[in-house]
Amino acid sequence: MLRHFLKPYRGLPREIYVIFFSRMINAAGLFIFPLFTLILTSKIGLSASEAGIWLTLMGIVIVPANLLGGKLTDWVGRKPMILLGQTIGGILFMICGFLEPGMTQIYLILSACFFFGLSDPANLSIIADLTTKDQREAAYALSYMGFNLGFAIGPTIGGLLFNNFYAWIFWGDALTLFVSVALVQVFIKETYLKTRIDSEAISFPQIDQKTAESAEPAGDAMEAAVSGSVLKVLLQRPILLVFSSILLFYNFSYAQWHYLLPIQLEDLFPLKGASTFGLLASLNGLVVLICTPLLTSGLRQYPALRRVALGGLLYLIGFGTFAFAESRLLFALGCVIFTLGEITITISYMPYVANRTPVSHRGRMNAVLPLLMGVGYTAGPIVMSRGLLIFAPQTGWLLISVLLVFAVVSMLVLERYDARVGIREAGEL
């Protein structure tokens, strides 16, 4: 049973397993971000509308951080950016633990978000560097599963600490960050040099052939190094822009999991909203742990975009359930359904993008495309906070359902287009 469970993840580079444990430990202490809405409202005393603005500002802060981090990732390397961003972010969290609830904590949390944003492109690029095209789906899925294995307990612990041991949600988050960074420092070598050699071997034929052969293979035409700006690369691959634009609507919907749902739970279950949300977040992580290997194996034969459309349909059903839920059991059911969608989308979209990104631009593409997708996540809280002034959370979930119908249909149309022209587009590059 266990052997079959782990089968999709056999034969990956050793560093991928280190990343799995690093992300798991990091997520086991992920207390602050899942509870940020409640920190703003219950501890600092902001209104739901004001909390939505700060959540949106958090997303806005990440924009310049990702752009700068993407450039630096392709310039100075993957590992330095991971170490720099996560270490400074952890230090800022430690400082928060010594402060009383107030605006200074908000400023420090947003500052930490900036440094985490610096490391995001490197975290995505290093997995692509370490794997071949055939390994990426399993590698990204394993990284995602490691994060959610930790996340299965992190928010629950955070929810229990929230009322009586508030400072420890900051200190615990910081300590697990430091352990996670230490694993990367000790066990993972810089992958940037290998990638750069590969890039130069393709772009500049005069490089020593023996050196080029010792580097990571380029994969196929879509991954071959190219010259020019990231804008030029995107214009050569317009399907990635359309794909990311559709995922913007997915992420707008998913953002309500961290914004609209905690507010709804606090209304339905006074004084127990934080603990209830923590339990749902842990259920989310547990479903990811159990079902990621099953879905990775079971959906492998289907095209990536069709899988992403299926994930959107599961979002539609799961989030739609919240519109009618009044018991914890029904919230749990909706959580399980949308989590199956989350798994399906995550194990499909990251390899899809990586397999169509030139090796020379991985850092920048892993900054720009997630930013485009993340516009929905950033806008989600502030748009919904305005909506909550005139309608109840249940109506908000119904509107999200309508939005997801549009997004799923759009993804299916894109999948048909990709099936017709994808091979020809790759050949032209």
Side-chain angles (χ1 to χ4, degrees):
M1 178 75 175
L2 181 62
R3 191 173 182 181
H4 179 74
F5 184 81
L6 297 176
K7 184 178 179 181
Y9 311 115
R10 289 181 183 171
L12 298 174
R14 185 198 68 165
E15 293 87 348
I16 297 297
Y17 302 119
V18 174
I19 291 172
F20 166 82
F21 286 108
S22 174
R23 305 252 167 110
M24 179 182 69
I25 292 169
N26 188 356
L30 193 63
F31 305 150
I32 296 171
F33 293 124
L35 296 171
F36 191 48
T37 298
L38 296 175
I39 290 173
L40 294 172
T41 55
S42 297
K43 290 295 184 180
I44 299 178
L46 302 183
S47 67
S49 178
E50 291 170 327
I53 293 172
W54 282 107
L55 282 168
T56 298
L57 286 175
M58 178 187 288
I60 292 173
V61 164
I62 293 175
V63 172
N66 277 181
L67 292 174
L68 178 60
K71 182 66 175 178
L72 291 174
T73 293
D74 284 335
W75 183 30
V76 303
R78 305 356 179 175
K79 187 174 174 179
M81 297 309 301
I82 295 173
L83 300 181
L84 173 71
Q86 296 192 357
T87 300
I88 296 178
I91 291 171
L92 293 173
F93 280 172
M94 286 291 290
I95 295 171
C96 282
F98 293 99
L99 302 175
E100 292 296 320
M103 296 304 297
T104 302
Q105 282 189 336
I106 298 177
Y107 301 146
L108 289 175
I109 291 171
L110 261 64
S111 299
C113 283
F114 178 85
F115 288 101
F116 294 144
L118 283 180
S119 66
D120 284 344
N123 277 314
L124 293 173
S125 298
I126 200 168
I127 296 176
D129 291 346
L130 290 166
T131 55
T132 64
K133 183 176 180 179
D134 292 337
Q135 295 173 324
R136 282 187 191 131
E137 185 173 310
Y140 280 110
L142 186 64
S143 171
Y144 170 69
M145 188 170 69
F147 176 87
N148 281 279
L149 179 60
F151 196 69
I153 62 171
T156 296
I157 297 173
L160 295 173
L161 294 172
F162 184 78
N163 288 322
N164 299 318
F165 303 95
Y166 179 64
W168 275 100
I169 69 173
F170 296 100
W171 295 336
D173 206 323
L175 290 173
T176 51
L177 269 169
F178 296 149
V179 174
S180 172
V181 167
L183 287 176
V184 174
Q185 170 63 24
V186 173
F187 294 107
I188 298 181
K189 296 180 180 179
E190 176 56 60
T191 63
Y192 173 65
L193 178 61
K194 180 171 66 173
T195 304
R196 184 174 57 182
I197 290 174
D198 182 46
S199 171
E200 291 172 350
I202 299 168
S203 301
F204 304 101
Q206 67 267 28
I207 193 169
D208 179 72
Q209 186 64 30
K210 184 177 180 180
T211 302
E213 289 174 355
S214 68
E216 178 190 27
D220 60 19
M222 297 294 282
E223 292 183 65
V226 297
S227 60
S229 67
V230 68
L231 179 60
K232 177 183 176 182
V233 173
L234 286 170
L235 292 177
Q236 290 176 330
R237 295 160 171 80
I239 196 168
L240 290 180
L241 286 172
V242 178
F243 175 67
S244 301
S245 298
I246 298 172
L247 283 184
L248 182 156
F249 296 104
Y250 278 48
N251 288 338
F252 182 93
S253 305
Y254 187 82
Q256 309 312 324
W257 154 239
H258 293 293
Y259 175 70
L260 184 59
L261 184 60
I263 292 172
Q264 182 181 11
L265 292 174
E266 196 67 28
D267 288 342
L268 289 173
F269 311 111
L271 301 180
K272 295 183 179 180
S275 59
T276 301
F277 180 75
L279 290 171
L280 289 176
S282 294
L283 176 62
N284 171 266
L286 184 62
V287 173
V288 168
L289 172 64
I290 295 171
C291 296
T292 297
L294 301 176
L295 292 174
T296 300
S297 297
L299 297 176
R300 182 171 293 171
Q301 68 270 30
Y302 298 105
L305 296 185
R306 192 176 304 172
R307 284 180 276 157
V308 176
L310 172 62
L313 179 61
L314 291 168
Y315 271 9
L316 170 62
I317 298 170
F319 291 144
T321 301
F322 294 156
F324 307 99
E326 294 184 355
S327 68
R328 289 180 175 86
L329 182 61
L330 202 52
F331 279 110
L333 176 62
C335 181
V336 170
I337 295 171
F338 94 74
T339 302
L340 294 175
E342 177 188 341
I343 297 168
T344 305
I345 294 165
T346 302
I347 65 175
S348 304
Y349 93 84
M350 288 189 291
Y352 181 82
V353 172
N355 293 340
R356 287 157 178 78
T357 298
V359 67
S360 52
H361 288 66
R362 277 179 182 155
R364 283 162 284 180
M365 292 284 277
N366 281 321
V368 173
L369 291 179
L371 280 179
L372 177 56
M373 301 175 198
V375 167
Y377 195 88
T378 301
I382 192 168
V383 172
M384 190 58 69
S385 71
R386 298 307 178 196
L388 289 179
L389 297 175
I390 57 176
F391 54 70
Q394 290 81 353
T395 302
W397 290 119
L398 292 176
L399 295 174
I400 290 298
S401 300
V402 173
L403 185 67
L404 282 168
V405 169
F406 166 77
V408 170
V409 171
S410 298
M411 191 64 71
L412 289 171
V413 172
L414 185 65
E415 190 266 328
R416 293 188 63 183
Y417 172 82
D418 189 43
R420 289 200 310 268
V421 305
I423 296 176
R424 176 174 59 83
E425 186 179 68
E428 290 174 352
L429 295 172

